[in-house]
Amino acid sequence: MLVRTLGVVIAAACAVTACGGSGDSDRTTQTSDPAAPPAEEADDSTSGAGPGSEAAQAGAGDAPGSSSEPAPDADIPDRLLAAHNEYREKHCASPLTWSDELAEVASAWAEELRDRGCPLAHSDHESGENLAAGSIGALDAERVVKLWYEEVELYDFADPGFEFETGHFTQLVWTGTRELGCARSSCPDIDLWVCNYAPAGNTLGEFEASVLPLSCDE
């Protein structure tokens, strides 16, 4: 079973990008992310831009099996949104609302990546973006979000900031983010998930105020 994740951030108004991702111990996990320092020092091994972290998506545009039956994945947007908000509540971040506009952005990029053979590569959209890919059927809506949230175990709240290994988590719980839109596409052996966030998170210099610990409500 293969699962991969990729995240990206743009710091403030700079063209500085940084990404991070991680996976479960029972899976082969790969990350490929640009560096977060100054733009001239950025590692361009992965393309992508966008002030946030990564992408996941639910079949917001999936067609129903018939005109009289709901699409099999019709509930995926609601499940993705609920999973995000469950984790955000733990970190005193207000709940997100679903954005059809962001879902269209995610869907267009997911289809683009599908046509390119499902590489994990970021778009240049201004929103935050989280990506995940896994073997067909390996990831569902809840599992995708859980995969990103598990990076919390690696995040140092005593020294807040961006790290490759925690960029998905920090975008997920970023307090200033208000909207979410996701999409999913498939290659012959891979499901690819894309989620976009607005306003984008992972802005350098704002982590302490925007990524709160579990003790935030005490």
Side-chain angles (χ1 to χ4, degrees):
M1 180 185 297
L2 170 67
V3 174
R4 294 175 290 167
T5 60
L6 176 65
V8 65
V9 304
I10 288 184
C14 305
V16 179
T17 60
C19 308
S22 73
D24 292 344
S25 59
D26 63 345
R27 295 177 296 212
T28 299
T29 305
Q30 302 174 353
T31 59
S32 177
D33 306 321
E40 59 271 17
E41 297 178 12
D43 176 359
D44 61 0
S45 61
T46 316
S47 64
S53 253
E54 300 197 0
Q57 158 31 4
D62 291 345
S66 71
S67 59
S68 61
E69 297 179 2
D73 295 338
D75 64 338
I76 287 182
D78 288 340
R79 290 165 56 195
L80 283 167
L81 189 61
H84 274 79
N85 288 337
E86 179 181 354
Y87 290 124
R88 286 176 62 83
E89 184 178 10
K90 295 176 182 291
H91 297 269
C92 298
S94 59
L96 302 177
T97 58
W98 186 262
S99 166
D100 289 337
E101 181 178 351
L102 286 177
E104 290 178 3
V105 170
S107 180
W109 187 240
E111 292 176 4
E112 168 75 13
L113 293 178
R114 178 200 61 200
D115 293 344
R116 290 164 50 184
C118 287
L120 277 182
H122 278 288
S123 69
D124 59 0
H125 196 266
E126 64 183 2
S127 62
E129 187 171 85
N130 280 349
L131 305 175
S135 302
I136 297 295
L139 297 174
D140 60 14
E142 292 78 14
R143 191 72 179 117
V144 167
V145 183
K146 182 176 185 289
L147 181 71
W148 295 334
Y149 181 76
E150 287 173 343
E151 295 175 0
V152 65
E153 300 297 334
L154 303 175
Y155 189 71
D156 186 357
F157 289 94
D159 185 22
F162 182 83
E163 297 290 344
F164 294 145
E165 298 83 359
T166 58
H168 308 109
F169 157 69
T170 50
Q171 171 60 85
L172 196 162
V173 302
W174 195 265
T175 59
T177 298
R178 294 289 181 265
E179 295 182 315
L180 170 72
C182 302
R184 182 184 62 183
S185 63
S186 296
C187 284
D189 59 349
I190 291 175
D191 285 330
L192 180 65
W193 298 72
V194 178
C195 280
N196 287 84
Y197 305 81
N202 287 350
T203 301
L204 298 185
E206 298 183 9
F207 280 79
E208 184 173 6
S210 301
V211 181
L212 305 179
L214 289 168
S215 59
C216 58
D217 60 353
E218 295 181 357

